Every structure is written in C-alpha cells, then in structure tokens.
Amino acid sequence: MEHRLGFDRIREMLLDNATNELARRMIQELAFMTDYDAVCNELDLTEEMRHILLMADGFPMQDYLDVSELLVRLRTPGSTVTCEELFALKISLRTIAALLDFLLPDDRKATADGNTDNKPAYPHLSALAAPIEYNPALSRELDKLIDDRGELYDNASETLLDIRRQMARKRSEVDVQVARALAHAKHEGWAPANAEATIRNGRPVIPMLDTHRRKMRGIIHDESASRQTAFVEPSDVVELGNDLRQLQFDEHHEIQRILLQTADRLRPQLPQLMEAYTFLAKMDFLRAKAQVAIQLHAVRPIVDRDTRINWIDARHPLLHLGTAAQRDVVPFNLSLDTHQRILIVSGPNAGGKSVLLKAVGLLQYMLQCGLLVPCRETSEWGIFDNIFIDIGDQQSIDDDLSTYTSHLRNMNHLLEVATPRTLFLLDELGGGTEPRAGCAIATALLEELCERGSLGVVTTHYADLKQLADEHDAIVNGAMLFDTTQMRPLYKLRVGLPGSSFAFEIAKNVGFPQALLDRASEHVGGAILNFEQQLQQLEADKAALEQKRTEVQLADSFLAEVIAKYEKLNSRLETKKHEIISQARTEARQILADANRTVERTISDIRESQAEKQKTQQARQRLQEESERLASQQERHDDELSRAVQMQTLPAAPEPEVEQLDASLPIKVGTIVGIDGQQTFGQVMEIRGKKAVVESNSMRMTIALDRLTATAKKHLPREKSSRSEGRFQSVFDDINEKRKSFSPKLDIRGQRVDEAIDNLQHFFDDARLLSEHELRILHGKGYGILKQAVRQWLHSQPDVTDVRSEHLELGGEGITVVQLK
C-alpha cells in the first residue's frame, strides 16, 4: 500500500535527511500507528523540532554519530576500542551535551536555585531529554585523552610521553646522519647534484648512481625503474632506524594498553551511554522529520480521537514537490464525519480524481506515522484503525486474476474488515465489467459500508452512483471542476454537486469526427445527455452566481467605505465651519474696536490742532485709509465664511422628471413601460401569456402585465442620477485599476532614507485607500540604518497596529511586516 500511495518516496526523503545510522533504522521501521496518544506525541515532538529549525539559534546541527555497535561490543570483557571510535565517541558526546544544554537549561538552573516553576520552551522535547544521564567527567577525560585529529595526546600516559620524546630525538639524529651522508655522496659524485633524501620501506635512504652503489656502506632498499639509481640506507643510519622502529613498537603497545584501560573505564557506564545514544538517534530522527515538514510546508493540525476528516487547504505533498517550479498546487477542502460519511467524486478523465484519492490516503497515512502534513493548522484530523485503498490495475497473470476479479477480491476483504473506524478509498468503483452489473454491485457495496459507519472517498463515472446522494443522507457528491471554455481540468474539488465526465466535449476538442459524435449521442440516449447537460448547466450557474456574489460584496464594501469617508469629511467640515465662524466673530469685534480707536484719535487730533485745515485734512485721510483697510479685511472674512458654509451644505437633489404613462397604449416586445409601485422604467423583452420579461438596469425580471403601463418613449429614459452615478462609477473604476496594479510589498533597498520615507508615505496612502491590512517592506539587512528609519516612521503612524520581522525562511530581518487597522 505504501508504494501505491507514494509513502515510499516520503520515506526516502526522510532517509536523505538523516545522518545517524540508528536514526535511519528508525525511519525504516516507521509504521502506521492507531494509538491516539502515540500519534499526538510524535506530532508534538516533530512540531517542536520544526519550530527549532526555523526560529531557534544555538541548536547543534552536526556530529549525530551512531556508536551503538561499539557500545554493544564493549559489553564483552577484554574488548577494546580504536582511536577512531574513541574520537567518534568524543565528538558525539559533545553533541549530546549541547542538546541537553539546549533543551534543559531552565531545568538545570531551577534545580540549582531550588526553583521548579520554570517551564521549558519545548516541553515535549525536554521531557524526552529529562531522563538522559550525562557524565561531564567522561567528556573531560576524553578531551584530555584524544585530540581533534583522532590521535592520543603525548601525555595520555607518562610512558607514552617518554616513548615519543625518545622517538623525536632518534628522528632528529636520523635526519642529521642522512643529511651528512647525502652531502658526502654529492661531494664524491656518487649521487646526482639535485638528489634529495627519501623513504623506502619505511626507512630513510639516499639516491645513489648505479655505478657507485657499492661505494657507500649500507643497505640497498630499492632501485629505480631504469636501474640507473639505487636507494641506499647508510650504515650509520641503520642502527638508529632500528632503534626508532623499536620505539614505534613500544608506542603501539602503549596505545593499545591505554585504549584497553579506557574501554574498562567505559564498561560500567554502558547502560547510561546506550540511553544517551538512543536519545541522540531519536533527535536525528525528529530532525529528519522536521526538515521534510519544512520542505513540504507541513504543519501540526488538530487531532481528534474520533474518526473524522475536516481538512482545510490540504495539498498532495508529492505533487507539491514535483510541480513547485511549474505551477501552484491547488489545495482542496474535505469534510467527512458520522453524518456525512461517503464522498462520491466524479468528473472528467485526467481531472485529478485519482490524485485526490491518493492525496487523502497519503496524508492520513503520514499523520498516523507521526509526520506533519501540508494543510491549514486549523484542520481537524481523526484517527482510524485501518486504511483500505483500491487504486489502479491489480490484475495478475500468475494468479489468473482479471482486473475486475482483483477488485472483487479487494471489495470482499474490505467487507471483512470494515468498521466505523475504517477509512476506505476506492478508485473507479464498478468499472472493469458490464456497466449495469458493475454499477449495481458498487451501489450495494456503498450502501453496506454506509450502514456500517465507515468513512470513505470513491471516484466514478456512473450516473447511478452519483444519484445515491439523493437517496442516502450520509452520502454526498463531489466534482472535479472543468473549464468548458478552454477545455482543461481545473483540479479543484467542489462538494455538493456531481461532476460531468465531459466525454463528448473532450472528444470534440481533440478532433473526433462530429458525425461519429452525433451517432454516439443517439446510442447514449437523450436522458443521459440531458443529465450531463444539466450537470454542466448547474456548474455554470453556480460559477456565475459566485461571481455575482463576489461583485456585490465588493460593491457593498466600497459603498460602506465611501459612506464612512463622507461622514468623516462631513464631521471635519462641520468642525471647520464652527471654527471659522468663531474666529470671524472674534476678528469682527477686534475690527470694531480698532475702528472706534481710530475715530477717537482722529477727533482728538482735530481738536488739538484747533481745526487747522492741513491737520484736519491729514486726519481725514488717515481715517479714510483705515476704513478701507477694515472693509477689505471684513470682506475677506465674509468670503471665507461663505466658502465654509458652501462646503458644509450638500446640493439638493433635482426633482425627478415625470414620464408620461399612457394606459391606453398596447404592451408588446420593445415597449418602454413603467412598473407599478416603482420609479423604474424598463423595456419589454418577451411576453409569456399574462407575464412579461422586462429588462431594467441590466437586470431581467418576470412581471405580471397588469403591473405594467406603456409609455410613448422609444428608448429608456435617462436616469436623473446618472451624472452622480457616473462619478461614482468613475471613482470605482479608478480604485479598481489601482487595486489591480497595487502590490502589498514595497522594495526600498538601496534608497536614501529621505527617498525611502517619501516612497513609503505614498505606498501607505494607496494602501489605506484600498483598505489593505497587511503590508511588507523589503529594506534588506545591511547595517540596519534603513530598517531603523522605516520602523521609527511606522511607529509614528496611528493606524499601524503591529510591526514585526518576516519569518526566517521568507527573509527574516530584511523584511518588515506591517499590520494596519
């Protein structure tokens, strides 16, 4: 079953992400679980690991080494270890220590402080780590014993230190003697001038010309391929080499003694070490599951003990991997429970029915293997005791099984195991034999499964099976949608209506002769064709209604926004009017006071000059200038007040023109009529007995003739509100055009701060006009200057409710996500 569902590919993905051999064995043994608590525990562990990989820092990501074979071998007394194994033990113990430190830091602090109220960040993983006993002294001992190249330190023992010191002295003496012998050979002409000392059979030698090989005392270890050169170990070096060789033997024996002694010290700790390395393998296993979940965009959904399915935006995981570069995977919603138990899916060939069936089986199987699944987090999943699947051709020549016989055997097995906790998935039910008989058996099977309470999804082309939903409340139809204009499948599941097979349309689209199609339609009969056509018409009507509903919702939303903006503007104008009037009154009183002071000062000047003609004339001139200035100022304030009042006052609606209705005129097709009880006019498009089909404002209505009155108009009267409606439509069109070109993501990388803030202001103006609620600003990381300036500006905006960084895998600190009211 795993191969038919595609779970074998999921298992391969897990294996590719695991490094620990014991973890790989866990993946190979991964199996379908039916225990609710076990499934939830695995899901919780994987979800916490997924969160760590995406968000947390400091989590160890390497050296998940498996040394379980070494630990098993060490159980035998007298067994030893190698330096390579000891090195693997050392670095893997570091990883275990880092894991425990990451998962249990609060617990260790709480234990030291006597405080037990601290809660771990990852409770399920912490509970997995809590029982592990870790001995820091062992790690310190290994750190002192073996270096990072996998070799024992010189001071691993006093004997080893003494041996290696002697070896270093002997090597130095050997180097001196070899250099002296080589220099003498060159001087005598026994060796080439450019000759260098080398190693043969592990011994230091010098190259000698073949004709002089006997002139230096020593041992000949080798000669060149041309036999022109002999490699001689000088006699003075031979004894030193023998001493060095003996020291190497002594070193080897001492290393073996140290390793054997280390193995003896490890042996009492084997039970704790086995638990620690099982924990390490489990962590690598969970890490592989979390990495696959990240690749599939999978999450941890809601899991229920009952057998139910309420999936939202579920996706086929393998289809997602295969088509990510070409097109988006179409998600599907699926709901099955005790009241709606069986879904019968129909639709065209290559429309995605079998893919849907495999997706349901694979997703449920993944979940009950403890894997996260690609869907919305609010999806609800039940736990089934078994999953039965019958997909594809299973005929067998060896067993003398035809396709239909194999299907019957599978159905018989399904009847043997079916319970209310069974999920069954049947592809092309009833096919492979005579249609009427196959359909009858399939109907009886579904009725039996329905009575048993099993849940399932079935695909079919048979009309009789599609009609079962009308006879049984627990059976519902579903359709894989098909684009009849472009003649291509949409891969969308719609529950509630059966789907058409579109056999004739697809045949016509591929160029099948029309004459043969006409003959085929005669053979099929009108009833079947009418049924298919009704299905297609229902689907088209539903799509049209859905589009209309969307348009109405958009119009209502836009109208509500316009009303809100108008009310806000009206309130502002009212406030502004009162402010202007109050200011005008204050300034008028000031003007009057200034005028009185000017008159009094003028009279005083005239009296003091005793009515001197020149003085009096100058005083009158100043009075005239001041009067003109005050009049001009008063006129300006009057204009401002008038404009404020005009802005506040709404224009009165024009009186509607009364159309001339004439009851004596006959009503026929094309007549312009008024509708009783409405101020609406329409044109008669069709007359059906005592009723007429009237078109008004692009809508058609069927109205009784006695409610209509004819007019003498030849064309529909122009609506009086057309000008305001035109303005409304113009604004609506402008906003629609802006909405089409608007992107909720602004890229300001590389811009200066002042330029970026200016672009940000325009961007937010458009977003507020279009009622956008979530925006993304791509500013990059760099030195953080642009990000800081952007966020300071965002915090100053009153309608910004939240400012945060994007998720790590989508850009992290380089993108700021903004939530608006």
Side-chain angles (χ1 to χ4, degrees), residues 740-761:
K740 291 178 182 178
S741 61
F742 179 79
S743 170
K745 186 173 182 179
L746 176 66
D747 188 350
I748 57 174
R749 289 177 296 180
Q751 298 181 7
R752 299 188 307 275
V753 171
D754 53 349
E755 178 186 4
I757 296 300
D758 185 56
N759 291 335
L760 196 60
Q761 181 68 60

PDB file of all heavy atoms in Angstrom, residues 740-761:
ATOM      1  N   LYS A 740      -5.694  46.689  -9.114  1.00  0.00           N
ATOM      2  CA  LYS A 740      -5.049  45.707  -9.988  1.00  0.00           C
ATOM      3  C   LYS A 740      -3.531  45.888 -10.006  1.00  0.00           C
ATOM      4  O   LYS A 740      -2.784  44.920 -10.063  1.00  0.00           O
ATOM      5  CB  LYS A 740      -5.604  45.833 -11.414  1.00  0.00           C
ATOM      6  CG  LYS A 740      -7.053  45.388 -11.554  1.00  0.00           C
ATOM      7  CD  LYS A 740      -7.546  45.586 -12.975  1.00  0.00           C
ATOM      8  CE  LYS A 740      -9.019  45.201 -13.135  1.00  0.00           C
ATOM      9  NZ  LYS A 740      -9.508  45.441 -14.500  1.00  0.00           N
ATOM     10  N   SER A 741      -3.086  47.150  -9.985  1.00  0.00           N
ATOM     11  CA  SER A 741      -1.651  47.405 -10.097  1.00  0.00           C
ATOM     12  C   SER A 741      -0.953  47.481  -8.744  1.00  0.00           C
ATOM     13  O   SER A 741       0.270  47.526  -8.687  1.00  0.00           O
ATOM     14  CB  SER A 741      -1.422  48.726 -10.849  1.00  0.00           C
ATOM     15  OG  SER A 741      -2.017  49.805 -10.151  1.00  0.00           O
ATOM     16  N   PHE A 742      -1.732  47.504  -7.660  1.00  0.00           N
ATOM     17  CA  PHE A 742      -1.130  47.667  -6.333  1.00  0.00           C
ATOM     18  C   PHE A 742      -0.536  46.355  -5.853  1.00  0.00           C
ATOM     19  O   PHE A 742      -1.137  45.293  -5.985  1.00  0.00           O
ATOM     20  CB  PHE A 742      -2.186  48.152  -5.333  1.00  0.00           C
ATOM     21  CG  PHE A 742      -1.637  48.330  -3.936  1.00  0.00           C
ATOM     22  CD1 PHE A 742      -0.906  49.449  -3.616  1.00  0.00           C
ATOM     23  CD2 PHE A 742      -1.845  47.362  -2.964  1.00  0.00           C
ATOM     24  CE1 PHE A 742      -0.398  49.625  -2.338  1.00  0.00           C
ATOM     25  CE2 PHE A 742      -1.343  47.520  -1.689  1.00  0.00           C
ATOM     26  CZ  PHE A 742      -0.620  48.668  -1.377  1.00  0.00           C
ATOM     27  N   SER A 743       0.655  46.425  -5.287  1.00  0.00           N
ATOM     28  CA  SER A 743       1.297  45.258  -4.663  1.00  0.00           C
ATOM     29  C   SER A 743       1.493  45.560  -3.186  1.00  0.00           C
ATOM     30  O   SER A 743       1.978  46.638  -2.825  1.00  0.00           O
ATOM     31  CB  SER A 743       2.653  44.968  -5.315  1.00  0.00           C
ATOM     32  OG  SER A 743       3.357  43.986  -4.561  1.00  0.00           O
ATOM     33  N   PRO A 744       1.126  44.628  -2.319  1.00  0.00           N
ATOM     34  CA  PRO A 744       1.290  44.874  -0.873  1.00  0.00           C
ATOM     35  C   PRO A 744       2.738  44.774  -0.406  1.00  0.00           C
ATOM     36  O   PRO A 744       2.981  44.695   0.785  1.00  0.00           O
ATOM     37  CB  PRO A 744       0.422  43.779  -0.250  1.00  0.00           C
ATOM     38  CG  PRO A 744       0.424  42.670  -1.239  1.00  0.00           C
ATOM     39  CD  PRO A 744       0.484  43.330  -2.592  1.00  0.00           C
ATOM     40  N   LYS A 745       3.689  44.736  -1.340  1.00  0.00           N
ATOM     41  CA  LYS A 745       5.105  44.617  -0.980  1.00  0.00           C
ATOM     42  C   LYS A 745       5.872  45.761  -1.644  1.00  0.00           C
ATOM     43  O   LYS A 745       5.780  45.957  -2.848  1.00  0.00           O
ATOM     44  CB  LYS A 745       5.648  43.262  -1.450  1.00  0.00           C
ATOM     45  CG  LYS A 745       7.066  42.984  -1.001  1.00  0.00           C
ATOM     46  CD  LYS A 745       7.456  41.553  -1.372  1.00  0.00           C
ATOM     47  CE  LYS A 745       8.864  41.228  -0.889  1.00  0.00           C
ATOM     48  NZ  LYS A 745       9.251  39.839  -1.229  1.00  0.00           N
ATOM     49  N   LEU A 746       6.619  46.540  -0.838  1.00  0.00           N
ATOM     50  CA  LEU A 746       7.386  47.677  -1.322  1.00  0.00           C
ATOM     51  C   LEU A 746       8.873  47.383  -1.166  1.00  0.00           C
ATOM     52  O   LEU A 746       9.324  47.036  -0.080  1.00  0.00           O
ATOM     53  CB  LEU A 746       7.008  48.938  -0.530  1.00  0.00           C
ATOM     54  CG  LEU A 746       7.810  50.190  -0.870  1.00  0.00           C
ATOM     55  CD1 LEU A 746       7.519  50.636  -2.299  1.00  0.00           C
ATOM     56  CD2 LEU A 746       7.503  51.318   0.115  1.00  0.00           C
ATOM     57  N   ASP A 747       9.616  47.551  -2.255  1.00  0.00           N
ATOM     58  CA  ASP A 747      11.067  47.303  -2.249  1.00  0.00           C
ATOM     59  C   ASP A 747      11.786  48.646  -2.229  1.00  0.00           C
ATOM     60  O   ASP A 747      11.704  49.420  -3.175  1.00  0.00           O
ATOM     61  CB  ASP A 747      11.462  46.502  -3.496  1.00  0.00           C
ATOM     62  CG  ASP A 747      12.925  46.039  -3.445  1.00  0.00           C
ATOM     63  OD1 ASP A 747      13.648  46.507  -2.552  1.00  0.00           O
ATOM     64  OD2 ASP A 747      13.312  45.211  -4.289  1.00  0.00           O
ATOM     65  N   ILE A 748      12.481  48.964  -1.116  1.00  0.00           N
ATOM     66  CA  ILE A 748      13.201  50.240  -0.993  1.00  0.00           C
ATOM     67  C   ILE A 748      14.694  50.011  -0.770  1.00  0.00           C
ATOM     68  O   ILE A 748      15.395  50.893  -0.267  1.00  0.00           O
ATOM     69  CB  ILE A 748      12.614  51.090   0.157  1.00  0.00           C
ATOM     70  CG1 ILE A 748      12.659  50.294   1.468  1.00  0.00           C
ATOM     71  CG2 ILE A 748      11.201  51.525  -0.150  1.00  0.00           C
ATOM     72  CD1 ILE A 748      12.241  51.125   2.675  1.00  0.00           C
ATOM     73  N   ARG A 749      15.186  48.815  -1.119  1.00  0.00           N
ATOM     74  CA  ARG A 749      16.606  48.528  -0.953  1.00  0.00           C
ATOM     75  C   ARG A 749      17.451  49.487  -1.795  1.00  0.00           C
ATOM     76  O   ARG A 749      17.118  49.754  -2.948  1.00  0.00           O
ATOM     77  CB  ARG A 749      16.899  47.092  -1.351  1.00  0.00           C
ATOM     78  CG  ARG A 749      16.353  46.053  -0.389  1.00  0.00           C
ATOM     79  CD  ARG A 749      16.606  44.653  -0.886  1.00  0.00           C
ATOM     80  NE  ARG A 749      15.899  44.402  -2.141  1.00  0.00           N
ATOM     81  CZ  ARG A 749      15.938  43.267  -2.815  1.00  0.00           C
ATOM     82  NH1 ARG A 749      16.666  42.266  -2.359  1.00  0.00           N
ATOM     83  NH2 ARG A 749      15.253  43.118  -3.935  1.00  0.00           N
ATOM     84  N   GLY A 750      18.530  49.977  -1.201  1.00  0.00           N
ATOM     85  CA  GLY A 750      19.450  50.841  -1.918  1.00  0.00           C
ATOM     86  C   GLY A 750      19.037  52.300  -1.946  1.00  0.00           C
ATOM     87  O   GLY A 750      19.771  53.135  -2.477  1.00  0.00           O
ATOM     88  N   GLN A 751      17.875  52.677  -1.403  1.00  0.00           N
ATOM     89  CA  GLN A 751      17.411  54.060  -1.419  1.00  0.00           C
ATOM     90  C   GLN A 751      17.945  54.817  -0.210  1.00  0.00           C
ATOM     91  O   GLN A 751      18.227  54.236   0.843  1.00  0.00           O
ATOM     92  CB  GLN A 751      15.880  54.102  -1.439  1.00  0.00           C
ATOM     93  CG  GLN A 751      15.265  53.454  -2.661  1.00  0.00           C
ATOM     94  CD  GLN A 751      13.744  53.541  -2.648  1.00  0.00           C
ATOM     95  OE1 GLN A 751      13.155  54.197  -1.801  1.00  0.00           O
ATOM     96  NE2 GLN A 751      13.102  52.866  -3.605  1.00  0.00           N
ATOM     97  N   ARG A 752      18.064  56.165  -0.369  1.00  0.00           N
ATOM     98  CA  ARG A 752      18.407  57.005   0.777  1.00  0.00           C
ATOM     99  C   ARG A 752      17.221  57.049   1.733  1.00  0.00           C
ATOM    100  O   ARG A 752      16.075  56.785   1.345  1.00  0.00           O
ATOM    101  CB  ARG A 752      18.770  58.414   0.322  1.00  0.00           C
ATOM    102  CG  ARG A 752      19.976  58.471  -0.618  1.00  0.00           C
ATOM    103  CD  ARG A 752      20.386  59.918  -0.850  1.00  0.00           C
ATOM    104  NE  ARG A 752      19.261  60.738  -1.292  1.00  0.00           N
ATOM    105  CZ  ARG A 752      18.857  60.843  -2.546  1.00  0.00           C
ATOM    106  NH1 ARG A 752      19.515  60.194  -3.497  1.00  0.00           N
ATOM    107  NH2 ARG A 752      17.822  61.600  -2.870  1.00  0.00           N
ATOM    108  N   VAL A 753      17.512  57.429   2.973  1.00  0.00           N
ATOM    109  CA  VAL A 753      16.456  57.414   3.988  1.00  0.00           C
ATOM    110  C   VAL A 753      15.311  58.345   3.618  1.00  0.00           C
ATOM    111  O   VAL A 753      14.134  57.981   3.672  1.00  0.00           O
ATOM    112  CB  VAL A 753      17.038  57.769   5.377  1.00  0.00           C
ATOM    113  CG1 VAL A 753      15.912  57.967   6.391  1.00  0.00           C
ATOM    114  CG2 VAL A 753      17.971  56.676   5.856  1.00  0.00           C
ATOM    115  N   ASP A 754      15.640  59.599   3.196  1.00  0.00           N
ATOM    116  CA  ASP A 754      14.570  60.549   2.869  1.00  0.00           C
ATOM    117  C   ASP A 754      13.763  60.081   1.659  1.00  0.00           C
ATOM    118  O   ASP A 754      12.528  60.201   1.632  1.00  0.00           O
ATOM    119  CB  ASP A 754      15.154  61.941   2.605  1.00  0.00           C
ATOM    120  CG  ASP A 754      16.262  61.906   1.551  1.00  0.00           C
ATOM    121  OD1 ASP A 754      16.710  60.798   1.187  1.00  0.00           O
ATOM    122  OD2 ASP A 754      16.679  62.991   1.088  1.00  0.00           O
ATOM    123  N   GLU A 755      14.446  59.522   0.661  1.00  0.00           N
ATOM    124  CA  GLU A 755      13.742  58.998  -0.515  1.00  0.00           C
ATOM    125  C   GLU A 755      12.857  57.815  -0.137  1.00  0.00           C
ATOM    126  O   GLU A 755      11.712  57.693  -0.584  1.00  0.00           O
ATOM    127  CB  GLU A 755      14.765  58.577  -1.569  1.00  0.00           C
ATOM    128  CG  GLU A 755      14.152  57.972  -2.832  1.00  0.00           C
ATOM    129  CD  GLU A 755      15.198  57.430  -3.784  1.00  0.00           C
ATOM    130  OE1 GLU A 755      16.407  57.450  -3.417  1.00  0.00           O
ATOM    131  OE2 GLU A 755      14.826  56.980  -4.878  1.00  0.00           O
ATOM    132  N   ALA A 756      13.377  56.926   0.725  1.00  0.00           N
ATOM    133  CA  ALA A 756      12.602  55.743   1.141  1.00  0.00           C
ATOM    134  C   ALA A 756      11.363  56.153   1.926  1.00  0.00           C
ATOM    135  O   ALA A 756      10.274  55.602   1.724  1.00  0.00           O
ATOM    136  CB  ALA A 756      13.481  54.814   1.971  1.00  0.00           C
ATOM    137  N   ILE A 757      11.488  57.137   2.843  1.00  0.00           N
ATOM    138  CA  ILE A 757      10.337  57.574   3.651  1.00  0.00           C
ATOM    139  C   ILE A 757       9.282  58.216   2.759  1.00  0.00           C
ATOM    140  O   ILE A 757       8.071  58.017   2.936  1.00  0.00           O
ATOM    141  CB  ILE A 757      10.800  58.547   4.747  1.00  0.00           C
ATOM    142  CG1 ILE A 757      11.741  57.828   5.718  1.00  0.00           C
ATOM    143  CG2 ILE A 757       9.606  59.113   5.493  1.00  0.00           C
ATOM    144  CD1 ILE A 757      11.127  56.638   6.415  1.00  0.00           C
ATOM    145  N   ASP A 758       9.722  58.981   1.728  1.00  0.00           N
ATOM    146  CA  ASP A 758       8.759  59.587   0.801  1.00  0.00           C
ATOM    147  C   ASP A 758       7.996  58.510   0.030  1.00  0.00           C
ATOM    148  O   ASP A 758       6.767  58.571  -0.092  1.00  0.00           O
ATOM    149  CB  ASP A 758       9.509  60.513  -0.166  1.00  0.00           C
ATOM    150  CG  ASP A 758       8.552  61.268  -1.080  1.00  0.00           C
ATOM    151  OD1 ASP A 758       7.650  61.954  -0.567  1.00  0.00           O
ATOM    152  OD2 ASP A 758       8.697  61.149  -2.316  1.00  0.00           O
ATOM    153  N   ASN A 759       8.712  57.504  -0.469  1.00  0.00           N
ATOM    154  CA  ASN A 759       8.049  56.401  -1.181  1.00  0.00           C
ATOM    155  C   ASN A 759       7.135  55.614  -0.242  1.00  0.00           C
ATOM    156  O   ASN A 759       6.070  55.140  -0.636  1.00  0.00           O
ATOM    157  CB  ASN A 759       9.094  55.467  -1.795  1.00  0.00           C
ATOM    158  CG  ASN A 759       9.855  56.115  -2.934  1.00  0.00           C
ATOM    159  OD1 ASN A 759       9.350  57.039  -3.574  1.00  0.00           O
ATOM    160  ND2 ASN A 759      11.067  55.655  -3.185  1.00  0.00           N
ATOM    161  N   LEU A 760       7.562  55.481   1.003  1.00  0.00           N
ATOM    162  CA  LEU A 760       6.763  54.766   1.997  1.00  0.00           C
ATOM    163  C   LEU A 760       5.448  55.498   2.269  1.00  0.00           C
ATOM    164  O   LEU A 760       4.393  54.882   2.430  1.00  0.00           O
ATOM    165  CB  LEU A 760       7.583  54.608   3.287  1.00  0.00           C
ATOM    166  CG  LEU A 760       7.092  53.593   4.305  1.00  0.00           C
ATOM    167  CD1 LEU A 760       7.044  52.204   3.696  1.00  0.00           C
ATOM    168  CD2 LEU A 760       8.014  53.595   5.515  1.00  0.00           C
ATOM    169  N   GLN A 761       5.511  56.848   2.301  1.00  0.00           N
ATOM    170  CA  GLN A 761       4.304  57.641   2.542  1.00  0.00           C
ATOM    171  C   GLN A 761       3.292  57.439   1.411  1.00  0.00           C
ATOM    172  O   GLN A 761       2.094  57.205   1.664  1.00  0.00           O
ATOM    173  CB  GLN A 761       4.678  59.118   2.642  1.00  0.00           C
ATOM    174  CG  GLN A 761       3.493  60.034   2.909  1.00  0.00           C
ATOM    175  CD  GLN A 761       2.909  59.832   4.282  1.00  0.00           C
ATOM    176  OE1 GLN A 761       3.583  60.002   5.279  1.00  0.00           O
ATOM    177  NE2 GLN A 761       1.647  59.430   4.342  1.00  0.00           N
TER     178      GLN A 761
END
